[in-house]
Amino acid sequence: QAAAALVYDTSISGVTSPIKGSRYRLELSQSAGSLTYTGALLDYRTYLMPVRPYTFALRGIYFGRFGPDSEDDRLPTLYLGYPGLVRGYDSGSFQAGECGAQINGSCPAFDRLIGSRVAVANAELRFPLWGAFKRDSFYGPLPIEVGVFGDAGVAWNRGTSLSFSGDQKPVSSVGAVMRVNLLGFAIAEFDYVRPLSRPGRGWIWQFNLSPGF
């Protein structure tokens, strides 16, 4: 497998996530052999701080696989509901009632999150909890970041038509987030999220070990 990437990064990271600057990554990868396909990635992020210590973070991601084996069952699934993409759609949070009565045993509410191509957009307003009240110190003794967010994304396959009313329509969520730096070993993220594209599903908690995007 061969890959070529163009990377640009002027972002400044805090103790839980980037707080200023921007970054992008353009990457093309080619796999040949038992499976032949091309992967394309575009990842752009920008971090604006109009007023200290508040950061407005924006991210857009596109990833797709193309070629004769791009949708082979041996390849790992591209799934929108991972905690780092569109929050509120973790695979373990789905209940049988959300699938409805399907003759073939499928679950449209879950299946629409899977494809060979995905696009994701995220917006988040975040700030250090201590710094919001003590302007003389950014993080202070509490390496904690809180904020609110909105996520959206769509997954589709080759030959699938995207729409706002069919099975492959975009999904979205809103919520609140808290991140804690665990003594430099990891970043714990706690989300209280409302998945807007899951009728009848209210607010849920979600946990993830990862820095902010």
Side-chain angles (χ1 to χ4, degrees):
Q1 183 172 3
L6 175 63
V7 181
Y8 174 83
D9 190 350
T10 61
S11 61
I12 300 172
S13 292
V15 299
T16 54
S17 60
I19 56 175
K20 291 185 71 175
S22 61
R23 64 172 73 170
Y24 67 76
R25 182 181 185 89
L26 304 174
E27 182 176 316
L28 286 176
S29 59
Q30 178 65 50
S31 179
S34 58
L35 292 175
T36 300
Y37 64 92
T38 300
L41 170 68
L42 170 60
D43 184 342
Y44 178 78
R45 314 176 188 199
T46 189
Y47 311 98
L48 309 172
M49 187 181 289
V51 178
R52 177 187 169 94
Y54 299 91
T55 293
F56 189 52
L58 296 169
R59 177 179 69 172
I61 297 177
Y62 168 81
F63 179 75
R65 290 195 293 242
F66 306 87
D69 300 318
S70 60
E71 297 177 1
D72 192 279
D73 292 339
R74 290 171 289 178
L75 291 172
T77 300
L78 299 182
Y79 180 59
L80 277 181
Y82 290 126
L85 296 178
V86 181
R87 286 162 280 195
Y89 296 86
D90 185 85
S91 58
S93 69
F94 279 83
Q95 301 173 345
E98 296 183 69
C99 298
Q102 306 298 322
I103 298 177
N104 60 1
S106 64
C107 182
F110 182 83
D111 295 342
R112 66 179 176 178
L113 303 172
I114 299 172
S116 61
R117 301 160 193 183
V118 296
V120 176
N122 311 96
E124 187 173 290
L125 176 64
R126 55 198 185 209
F127 55 93
L129 185 61
W130 181 272
F133 301 99
K134 297 287 186 178
R135 296 301 180 89
D136 57 335
S137 178
F138 200 80
Y139 286 102
L142 302 173
I144 298 175
E145 175 182 80
V146 296
V148 293
F149 65 84
D151 297 337
V154 62
W156 70 100
N157 291 307
R158 183 176 56 213
T160 300
S161 298
L162 300 180
S163 70
F164 288 90
S165 59
D167 290 339
Q168 295 302 120
K169 61 184 179 182
V171 298
S172 58
S173 62
V174 295
V177 58
M178 180 176 71
R179 298 187 183 94
V180 182
N181 187 303
L182 303 177
L183 303 177
F185 293 102
I187 307 297
E189 178 176 321
F190 302 89
D191 300 308
Y192 190 50
V193 53
R194 174 70 182 273
L196 301 178
S197 306
R198 296 172 66 179
R201 188 66 166 168
W203 291 85
I204 59 176
W205 286 98
Q206 188 170 294
F207 174 75
N208 182 33
L209 284 175
S210 177
F213 67 81

Coordinates of all heavy atoms in Angstrom, one line a residue, residues 91-122:
S91 N -22.7 2.6 18.4 CA -23.3 1.3 18.0 C -24.0 0.6 19.2 O -25.0 0.0 19.0 CB -22.3 0.3 17.3 OG -21.3 0.1 18.2
G92 N -23.4 0.8 20.4 CA -24.0 0.1 21.5 C -25.2 0.8 22.1 O -25.8 0.3 23.0
S93 N -25.6 2.0 21.6 CA -26.7 2.7 22.1 C -28.0 2.4 21.4 O -29.1 2.9 21.8 CB -26.4 4.2 22.0 OG -26.4 4.7 20.7
F94 N -28.0 1.7 20.3 CA -29.2 1.4 19.5 C -30.0 0.3 20.2 O -29.5 -0.7 20.7 CB -28.8 1.0 18.1 CG -28.5 2.1 17.2 CD1 -27.3 2.7 17.2 CD2 -29.5 2.7 16.4 CE1 -27.0 3.8 16.4 CE2 -29.2 3.8 15.6 CZ -28.0 4.3 15.6
Q95 N -31.3 0.5 20.1 CA -32.2 -0.5 20.7 C -33.1 -1.1 19.6 O -33.2 -0.6 18.5 CB -33.2 0.2 21.7 CG -32.4 0.9 22.8 CD -33.3 1.7 23.7 OE1 -34.5 2.0 23.4 NE2 -32.8 2.1 24.9
A96 N -33.6 -2.3 19.9 CA -34.3 -3.1 18.8 C -35.5 -2.3 18.3 O -35.8 -2.4 17.1 CB -34.8 -4.4 19.4
G97 N -36.1 -1.5 19.2 CA -37.3 -0.8 18.7 C -37.0 0.3 17.7 O -37.9 0.7 16.9
E98 N -35.8 0.7 17.5 CA -35.4 1.7 16.5 C -35.3 1.1 15.1 O -35.3 1.8 14.2 CB -34.1 2.3 16.9 CG -34.1 3.1 18.2 CD -32.8 3.8 18.5 OE1 -32.5 4.8 17.7 OE2 -32.1 3.4 19.4
C99 N -35.2 -0.2 15.0 CA -35.0 -0.9 13.7 C -36.4 -1.1 13.0 O -36.4 -1.2 11.8 CB -34.3 -2.2 13.9 SG -32.6 -2.0 14.6
G100 N -37.4 -1.2 13.8 CA -38.7 -1.5 13.2 C -38.8 -3.0 12.8 O -37.9 -3.8 13.0
A101 N -39.9 -3.4 12.1 CA -40.1 -4.8 11.7 C -39.6 -4.9 10.3 O -40.3 -4.5 9.3 CB -41.5 -5.1 11.8
Q102 N -38.4 -5.5 10.1 CA -37.9 -5.6 8.7 C -37.8 -7.1 8.4 O -37.4 -7.9 9.1 CB -36.4 -5.1 8.7 CG -36.3 -3.6 9.2 CD -37.1 -2.7 8.3 OE1 -37.1 -2.8 7.1 NE2 -37.7 -1.6 8.9
I103 N -38.3 -7.4 7.2 CA -38.4 -8.8 6.8 C -37.0 -9.5 6.6 O -36.8 -10.6 7.0 CB -39.1 -8.9 5.4 CG1 -40.6 -8.4 5.5 CG2 -39.1 -10.4 4.9 CD1 -41.4 -8.4 4.2
N104 N -36.0 -8.7 6.2 CA -34.7 -9.2 6.0 C -33.8 -9.1 7.2 O -32.6 -9.4 7.2 CB -34.0 -8.5 4.8 CG -33.9 -7.0 5.0 OD1 -34.3 -6.5 6.0 ND2 -33.4 -6.3 4.0
G105 N -34.4 -8.6 8.3 CA -33.6 -8.5 9.6 C -32.7 -7.3 9.6 O -31.8 -7.2 10.5
S106 N -32.8 -6.4 8.7 CA -31.9 -5.2 8.7 C -32.4 -4.2 9.6 O -33.5 -4.3 10.2 CB -31.8 -4.6 7.2 OG -33.1 -4.1 6.8
C107 N -31.6 -3.2 9.8 CA -31.9 -2.0 10.7 C -31.6 -0.7 10.0 O -30.5 -0.3 10.1 CB -31.2 -2.1 12.0 SG -31.6 -0.8 13.2
P108 N -32.6 -0.2 9.3 CA -32.3 1.1 8.5 C -31.7 2.2 9.3 O -30.9 2.9 8.8 CB -33.7 1.4 8.0 CG -34.4 0.1 7.9 CD -34.0 -0.6 9.1
A109 N -32.1 2.3 10.6 CA -31.6 3.4 11.4 C -30.1 3.3 11.7 O -29.4 4.3 11.8 CB -32.4 3.4 12.8
F110 N -29.6 2.1 11.7 CA -28.2 1.8 11.9 C -27.5 1.7 10.6 O -26.4 2.2 10.4 CB -28.0 0.5 12.7 CG -26.6 0.2 13.0 CD1 -26.0 0.7 14.1 CD2 -25.9 -0.7 12.2 CE1 -24.6 0.4 14.4 CE2 -24.6 -1.0 12.4 CZ -23.9 -0.5 13.6
D111 N -28.1 1.1 9.6 CA -27.4 0.8 8.3 C -27.1 2.1 7.6 O -26.1 2.2 6.8 CB -28.3 0.0 7.4 CG -28.5 -1.4 7.9 OD1 -27.7 -1.8 8.8 OD2 -29.5 -2.1 7.5
R112 N -27.9 3.2 7.8 CA -27.6 4.5 7.1 C -26.3 5.1 7.6 O -25.9 6.1 7.0 CB -28.8 5.4 7.2 CG -29.0 5.9 8.7 CD -30.2 6.9 8.7 NE -30.5 7.3 10.1 CZ -31.5 8.2 10.3 NH1 -32.2 8.7 9.4 NH2 -31.7 8.5 11.6
L113 N -25.8 4.6 8.7 CA -24.5 5.2 9.2 C -23.3 4.5 8.6 O -22.2 4.8 9.0 CB -24.5 5.0 10.7 CG -25.6 5.6 11.5 CD1 -25.6 5.2 13.0 CD2 -25.6 7.1 11.4
I114 N -23.5 3.5 7.7 CA -22.4 2.8 7.1 C -22.3 3.0 5.6 O -23.3 3.1 4.9 CB -22.7 1.2 7.4 CG1 -22.7 1.0 8.9 CG2 -21.6 0.4 6.8 CD1 -23.1 -0.4 9.3
G115 N -21.1 3.1 5.1 CA -20.9 3.3 3.7 C -19.4 3.2 3.3 O -18.5 3.0 4.2
S116 N -19.1 3.3 2.1 CA -17.7 3.3 1.6 C -17.2 4.8 1.5 O -16.0 5.0 1.2 CB -17.6 2.6 0.2 OG -18.4 3.3 -0.7
R117 N -18.1 5.7 1.8 CA -17.7 7.2 1.7 C -18.5 7.9 2.8 O -19.7 7.6 3.0 CB -18.1 7.8 0.4 CG -17.4 7.1 -0.8 CD -18.0 7.3 -2.1 NE -17.5 6.4 -3.1 CZ -17.8 6.3 -4.4 NH1 -18.7 7.2 -4.8 NH2 -17.3 5.4 -5.2
V118 N -17.8 8.8 3.5 CA -18.4 9.5 4.6 C -18.0 11.0 4.6 O -16.9 11.3 4.1 CB -18.1 8.9 6.0 CG1 -18.6 7.5 6.2 CG2 -16.6 9.0 6.3
A119 N -18.9 11.8 5.0 CA -18.6 13.2 5.2 C -19.2 13.7 6.5 O -20.3 13.3 6.9 CB -19.2 14.1 4.0
V120 N -18.4 14.5 7.2 CA -18.7 14.9 8.6 C -18.4 16.4 8.8 O -17.4 16.9 8.3 CB -17.9 14.1 9.6 CG1 -18.2 14.6 11.1 CG2 -18.3 12.6 9.5
A121 N -19.3 17.1 9.5 CA -19.0 18.5 9.9 C -19.3 18.6 11.4 O -20.3 18.1 11.9 CB -19.9 19.4 9.1
N122 N -18.4 19.3 12.1 CA -18.5 19.5 13.5 C -18.3 21.0 13.8 O -17.4 21.7 13.2 CB -17.5 18.7 14.3 CG -17.5 17.2 13.9 OD1 -16.6 16.9 13.0 ND2 -18.4 16.4 14.4

